[in-house]
Amino acid sequence: NDELIVRFAAEPDHERRAEIVRREAQLLDVLRELSSLPVPEPVLASPDDGFLAYHKLPGVPRASLPEPQRVGPHFAATLAEFLTRLHSAPVRQLRRLVDVELEPLEQWLGYTRSDYLKVVGSIPPAVRRPIESFLAAAVPEANFARAFCHNDLGAEHVLADSDSRECTGILDWTDAAITDPARDFGRLYRDCGPTVVDAALAGYDAGPGLRERAIFYGRCAVFEDIAHGLETGKRVYAENAIAALGWLFPG
């Protein structure tokens, strides 16, 4: 009836599926107090059946907006406040609800090389040289303190008011983890561009090298989105990602 969202876990193992649903429902309860932006509030969670349900949040995914409205900096201050609170959350309290992710940046780059080879035929020739220079370069220095992160903060999970374009909520916390806070900025950099990220960082106490790592993660994640869009037929993912190559890999 356009009021409830019901999400089913795709995990085939029954015990693992039940644990995923149980942990996400508990995490969403914690986030009601922690997040400065609305998050889904479960009205029904059935771990044994592998699903949870919550009322639909207002707004549309920012990924569905035209590029000029998606990449404008007007919502950056809201994001800065949201990420400041999120990344300052007590890690010890949240460790029981989310995983700790430790993948080295070299591993990210290895996955990215594989993703690039899958989609290179869809990449405009003008940006292939800077992309391949990135893939051959050293990774940034990984000197950071891990924090609680959304860990999949792409534009499809950031809701916006269709008139004001302001943020109205944050969706899909399934991948939340204790990890590098630059990952949250990285997907924003991929989807919304440097103007948004730089404006958000102006209101955020960034540690050394965070912006450099955010750019690195954004560049890595773009090929994943192109591959996903082409493989699933969800063209908007591939189209938005290809359009972002210009700011991700400038001349």
Side-chain angles (χ1 to χ4, degrees), residues 7-200:
R7 295 182 61 232
F8 289 83
E11 169 61 47
D13 179 79
H14 180 272
E15 290 187 8
R16 174 62 180 155
R17 183 171 65 245
E19 180 62 16
I20 289 171
V21 173
R22 187 177 298 111
R23 288 174 66 178
E24 183 167 1
Q26 292 173 352
L27 178 61
L28 290 173
D29 282 340
V30 172
L31 286 167
R32 280 189 298 177
E33 303 297 326
L34 175 62
S35 176
S36 62
L37 287 168
V39 300
E41 296 186 19
V43 295
L44 175 63
S46 182
D48 286 339
D49 296 312
F51 76 87
L52 59 81
Y54 51 81
H55 287 291
K56 186 177 180 180
L57 293 177
V60 298
R62 193 166 291 276
S64 67
L65 298 177
E67 183 178 317
Q69 298 166 5
R70 190 173 73 252
V71 305
H74 53 280
F75 65 103
T78 304
L79 285 175
E81 179 186 0
F82 166 73
L83 290 172
T84 295
R85 290 187 58 172
L86 199 69
H87 296 164
S88 301
V91 169
R92 184 171 297 179
Q93 174 188 349
L94 291 160
R95 195 183 292 264
R96 65 184 176 86
L97 298 177
V98 299
D99 293 332
V100 178
E101 296 200 356
L102 306 172
E103 301 97 333
L105 300 189
E106 290 84 358
Q107 186 172 329
W108 272 71
L109 193 60
Y111 290 144
T112 301
R113 293 186 182 116
S114 297
D115 287 337
Y116 176 65
L117 292 177
K118 294 177 188 175
V119 302
V120 63
S122 299
I123 303 297
V127 293
R128 291 181 189 174
R129 180 171 292 181
I131 289 171
E132 290 164 8
S133 295
F134 164 74
L135 295 176
V139 300
E141 183 178 350
N143 181 22
F144 59 86
R146 292 180 181 86
F148 173 66
C149 300
H150 181 282
N151 202 32
D152 193 14
L153 199 61
E156 72 273 20
H157 297 146
V158 180
L159 295 177
D161 181 89
S162 55
D163 294 321
S164 70
R165 312 307 184 198
E166 288 297 331
C167 293
T168 58
I170 305 293
L171 297 176
D172 197 348
W173 292 83
T174 306
D175 294 317
I178 308 298
T179 189
D180 183 355
R183 290 196 190 182
D184 283 341
F185 286 97
R187 281 184 165 80
L188 290 172
Y189 193 93
R190 177 197 66 189
D191 293 346
C192 301
T195 301
V196 169
V197 168
D198 286 342

